[in-house]
Amino acid sequence: MNDQQKKKLKLKVSAISEGTVIDHIPSESLFNVISILELDKTQNMITFGANLDSDKLVNKAIIKVSNQFFEDDDINRIALIAPHAKLNIIRDYEVVEKKVVEVPDRVVGIVKCFNPKCITNSEPITTSFKVISKEPIALKCKYCEKITHEKQMVIK
Amino acid sequence: MNKKDLISITDYSKEEYLRIMDLAADFEKTPNQKLLEGKVVASLFFEPSTRTRLSFETAINRMGGRIVGFTDAGSSSVTKGETLHDTIRMVSQYADLIVMRHPLEGSARYAAEVSSVPVINAGDGANQHPTQTLLDMYSILKTQGSFDNLNIFLVGDLRYGRTVHSLLMAMSEFDNPIFNFIAPEELHMPEEYKLFLQEKGIRYFEHREFTDIISEADIVYMTRVQKERFSDPIEYEQVKNVYILKNSMLKNTKPNMRILHPLPRVNEISTDVDKNEKAYYFTQARNGVFTREAIIAHALNLK
């Protein structure tokens, strides 16, 4: 397939007139991103694609959400699983703003504490972590005070 | 939240450590002070811990308070499947203060969030046991007269021992401490604590044994090296006698040197040490009552 053909294929994913395009999501994180942003509950039109070619990621995914815009605090929640995600804000078919995600200082919910003896793994408690390192990610549990490292991270 | 919970040793500032020390000294002078008259303290032991529970209950009794609670989860509503959340919600409506011990880590922090009355952590799994640390500090202050310029030997299981980690954190608030870590390879002090000391510019040294260096110590804090902590039983057999303190090792130690141990002891301090004036661990346990009276008084603004 030559570049021209690839471009045509990409265009098959329909453009949106108003909304947000979230690009450069690792494919394996696509459904977690959908769930963290609660896109599985929205009434807005959503298209998404996975296992797409990309210069930066071998296997990227993309989500297009019509008529929906995100606050920085909300969008930063996906930084743990899609650290290189880029947002394009679309108005009238044009990209009017580009944003990158940023790992927040605190992570509430989303991640499980890796310590099996932590109270958050035996009672229905929203986890809460202080981010003590952003690259690689290290999270200190507010409850058991143990550190969950990036390699051990499990999304709730 | 303005509640004066005590969950982790780092919840207290240096000033609060010193205030607890002053209050503990006051309670040691006059152990029976009826400050808790008319108050009810809930003593919730979700796992048994005879020493800690009796120490707390003695402190509460000496202060004239009443105690409700349970001594193990088997005799509580936990067996019916009640969540910690619901137990704490309920109890905090009955009592003026909650003292709690729980096998899960982070349970005390969570309880403090749920409770409307102050919570004192009497141990949450392998995480924190701040009242032990404060009584260790009171014992250090009483025997050394100051927290500054002390050479502190931490001996035994420095990897899993929560008491040594908390003591290290607390003592690092004071001037010019030196730490000597004496532990087998498998149970060495975790990196995060060494990094913490490096960042604060505090000197520490690591050793595999301590017979030759014990003469430098002001405080020797002994902990138990447990067989089940070793992945290789042969390794345990090789090192098990290295971390036993014997009376013969105390000959050339400093006159002010004192031996501490959080107890219970198994064999890591020979019984022939008990008669030595430098053995302080039983007095240390006694200090626990005064320290806990101080912590309770502070938590409820009674002093």
Side-chain angles (χ1 to χ4, degrees):
Chain A
M1 199 184 287
N2 63 32
D3 284 355
Q4 202 62 32
Q5 285 170 308
K6 276 185 189 166
K7 223 169 200 173
K8 269 190 173 171
L9 192 72
K10 273 185 188 165
L11 287 174
K12 282 183 184 166
V13 184
S14 64
I16 55 174
S17 60
E18 300 277 325
T20 309
V21 175
I22 309 167
D23 202 354
H24 296 286
I25 301 165
S27 279
E28 67 271 16
S29 303
L30 172 66
F31 290 99
N32 279 328
V33 169
I34 288 174
S35 134
I36 289 170
L37 294 176
E38 300 188 339
L39 296 176
D40 46 351
K41 293 177 190 130
T42 181
Q43 297 299 309
N44 294 319
M45 189 175 79
I46 302 178
T47 51
F48 57 82
N51 304 324
L52 308 172
D53 286 337
S54 150
D55 300 336
K56 285 186 184 158
L57 289 170
V58 187
N59 237 335
K60 75 158 185 174
I62 189 168
I63 304 172
K64 299 188 176 193
V65 198
S66 289
N67 302 317
Q68 192 165 338
F69 305 93
F70 299 92
E71 297 294 330
D72 286 352
D73 283 354
D74 289 334
I75 207 73
N76 285 341
R77 288 156 52 85
I78 71 170
L80 295 178
I81 52 166
H84 304 293
K86 290 193 172 53
L87 271 77
N88 294 309
I89 316 298
I90 314 285
R91 303 269 185 198
D92 195 19
Y93 295 100
E94 295 286 332
V95 177
V96 294
E97 195 186 346
K98 284 176 181 276
K99 283 184 188 174
V100 289
V101 298
E102 226 180 275
V103 178
D105 296 330
R106 281 210 78 84
V107 173
V108 177
I110 305 172
V111 180
K112 240 171 84 76
C113 178
F114 92 107
N115 175 11
K117 285 187 170 166
C118 178
I119 186 76
T120 60
N121 288 316
S122 68
E123 296 228 351
I125 302 171
T126 306
T127 57
S128 180
F129 301 90
K130 186 177 174 195
V131 178
I132 56 169
S133 164
K134 295 191 176 185
E135 184 82 58
I137 289 163
L139 308 171
K140 186 171 185 180
C141 176
K142 172 184 167 189
Y143 296 99
C144 75
E145 306 182 21
K146 296 280 181 297
I147 294 162
T148 300
H149 294 279
E150 191 166 329
K151 298 191 291 275
Q152 303 156 329
M153 251 174 31
V154 175
I155 304 300
K156 266 193 158 179
Chain B
M1 220 185 295
N2 276 329
K3 257 184 328 129
K4 281 196 194 154
D5 303 305
L6 175 59
I7 307 304
S8 295
I9 191 66
T10 48
D11 290 356
Y12 276 180
S13 62
K14 183 178 175 180
E15 288 65 38
E16 279 175 302
Y17 294 149
L18 295 171
R19 175 160 162 72
I20 296 295
M21 299 303 115
D22 285 347
L23 289 175
D26 179 62
F27 280 109
E28 180 162 10
K29 244 182 255 152
T30 322
N32 294 333
Q33 300 188 32
K34 304 294 173 198
L35 299 163
L36 281 179
E37 205 120 65
K39 292 214 179 335
V40 174
V41 178
S43 163
L44 311 183
F45 278 67
F46 293 87
E47 68 176 3
S49 170
T50 311
R51 188 177 323 275
T52 305
R53 183 172 58 80
L54 293 184
S55 175
F56 263 111
E57 295 188 0
T58 304
I60 296 161
N61 275 301
R62 289 203 178 279
M63 295 171 80
R66 298 273 185 157
I67 300 163
V68 295
F70 45 84
T71 57
D72 69 90
S75 57
S76 77
S77 52
V78 175
T79 50
K80 295 181 187 164
E82 187 176 55
T83 59
L84 177 63
H85 173 274
D86 289 4
T87 306
I88 298 296
R89 262 312 270 281
M90 174 196 72
V91 171
S92 72
Q93 319 216 18
Y94 299 164
D96 300 290
L97 175 74
I98 293 174
V99 172
M100 107 172 211
R101 169 98 164 201
H102 197 285
L104 290 176
E105 296 159 24
S107 52
R109 179 75 62 200
Y110 179 60
E113 283 182 3
V114 172
S115 170
S116 53
V117 299
V119 174
I120 295 174
N121 183 6
D124 60 329
N127 184 34
Q128 289 276 338
H129 191 8
T131 64
Q132 175 71 46
T133 308
L134 287 159
L135 81 87
D136 293 343
M137 291 173 75
Y138 183 58
S139 300
I140 291 173
L141 187 63
K142 260 181 75 178
T143 59
Q144 307 300 317
S146 161
F147 285 129
D148 300 330
N149 307 309
L150 295 179
N151 193 332
I152 300 165
F153 279 44
L154 303 174
V155 185
D157 180 356
L158 304 188
R159 183 166 176 192
Y160 299 101
R162 61 183 173 188
T163 55
V164 291
H165 301 155
S166 299
L167 187 62
L168 179 153
M169 301 288 286
M171 291 305 293
S172 68
E173 290 288 317
F174 298 92
D175 288 343
N176 197 32
I178 301 174
F179 290 101
N180 279 283
F181 303 145
I182 299 105
E185 176 70 41
E186 283 208 43
L187 301 179
H188 66 77
M189 182 61 75
E191 286 305 313
E192 58 181 291
Y193 293 101
K194 291 192 256 175
L195 275 174
F196 170 81
L197 293 178
Q198 281 168 28
E199 278 167 16
K200 295 199 95 171
I202 293 172
R203 284 173 294 168
Y204 68 85
F205 305 95
E206 293 187 278
H207 315 273
R208 293 280 166 262
E209 57 102 39
F210 65 126
T211 313
D212 297 338
I213 48 170
I214 194 170
S215 59
E216 296 167 22
D218 295 307
I219 289 291
V220 174
Y221 195 99
M222 298 293 298
T223 62
R224 186 149 58 102
V225 171
Q226 297 176 59
K227 192 177 184 177
E228 54 272 25
R229 298 292 194 201
F230 286 82
S231 51
D232 180 0
I234 294 170
E235 171 86 359
Y236 171 75
E237 291 302 323
Q238 281 169 349
V239 304
K240 68 176 183 186
N241 293 324
V242 176
Y243 304 97
I244 294 178
L245 186 66
K246 300 180 194 76
N247 200 35
S248 57
M249 294 163 69
L250 302 176
K251 254 181 245 153
N252 298 317
T253 52
K254 289 189 188 177
N256 63 301
M257 187 276 254
R258 290 295 177 272
I259 303 150
L260 303 186
H261 190 300
L263 303 181
R265 152 184 71 171
V266 180
N267 64 346
E268 57 277 19
I269 302 176
S270 306
T271 47
D272 66 2
V273 177
D274 294 359
K275 290 191 290 291
N276 196 306
E277 59 172 9
K278 291 171 183 172
Y280 195 73
Y281 27 95
F282 292 114
T283 314
Q284 180 187 0
R286 181 169 177 269
N287 289 338
V289 174
F290 313 130
T291 312
R292 290 181 171 113
E293 289 187 81
I295 293 164
I296 292 168
H298 181 66
L300 291 174
N301 297 313
L302 301 174
K303 276 246 170 191

